[in-house]
């Protein structure tokens, strides 16, 4: 007598589950639209936050330029000299926001870099 445990899984043997990727269905020479493609960097939140951080670095740059100007031309009627502190704070703020911005941009472009690596496309 045959045991019921010896029955093969007919469903998985008859209909194997093939994994297809979206780029497998692209026509040769077709360049997918940047915003509509699933590997687009423009649909990632980290990319947009990074762009905002890079723009926010201009604030630190402005403070640094103000400190440089105050260092060379003085503070007017004020007796305290805060130019060195302003230059340092501006440079620190600019460096931190730029570093975070570039880190988040590289994180947001991870899907696109993987797409380029797997398909060899440069679009």
């Amino acid at each position: 007598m045959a045991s019921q445990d010896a029955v093969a899984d007919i469903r998985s043997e008859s209909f194997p589950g093939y994994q297809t990727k979206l780029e497998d269905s692209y026509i040769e020479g077709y360049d997918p639209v940047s915003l509509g493609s699933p590997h687009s960097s423009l649909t990632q939140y980290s990319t947009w936050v990074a762009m905002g951080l890079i723009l926010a670095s201009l604030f630190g740059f402005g403070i640094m330029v103000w400190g440089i100007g105050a260092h060379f031309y003085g503070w007017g009627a004020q007796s305290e000299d805060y130019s060195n502190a302003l230059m340092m704070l501006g440079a620190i703020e600019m460096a931190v926001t730029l570093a975070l911005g570039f880190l988040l941009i590289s994180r947001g472009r991870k899907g696109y870099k993987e797409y380029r690596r797997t398909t060899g496309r440069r679009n």
Side-chain angles (χ1 to χ4, degrees):
M1 251 190 175
S3 169
Q4 296 254 341
D5 296 331
V7 175
D9 187 8
I10 296 172
R11 179 179 173 171
S12 66
E13 291 178 1
S14 301
F15 303 103
Y18 294 108
Q19 298 271 337
T20 59
K21 297 178 183 172
L22 182 63
E23 58 264 11
D24 293 338
S25 63
Y26 287 165
I27 299 170
E28 188 62 35
Y30 170 71
D31 289 335
V33 179
S34 294
L35 189 57
S37 60
H39 57 269
S40 175
S41 304
L42 297 175
T43 58
Q44 303 295 320
Y45 287 115
S46 61
T47 304
W48 291 104
V49 171
M51 290 180 203
L53 283 172
I54 290 173
L55 283 175
S57 72
L58 291 174
F59 173 70
F61 180 72
I63 290 176
M64 189 175 66
V65 168
W66 182 276
I68 291 170
H71 182 74
F72 287 116
Y73 295 108
W75 286 87
Q78 291 183 347
S79 61
E80 294 90 12
D81 183 21
Y82 295 114
S83 62
N84 289 331
L86 284 177
M87 285 187 286
M88 291 301 294
L89 288 175
I92 290 170
E93 194 276 337
M94 184 175 64
V96 167
T97 54
L98 281 176
L100 284 174
F102 288 128
L103 179 74
L104 286 175
I105 280 184
S106 68
R107 181 178 170 217
R109 292 182 54 87
K110 181 175 58 173
Y112 176 68
K113 289 177 184 176
E114 182 180 335
Y115 165 77
R116 283 180 53 184
R117 190 172 37 253
T118 58
T119 62
R121 292 176 178 238
R122 301 285 182 227
N123 52 355

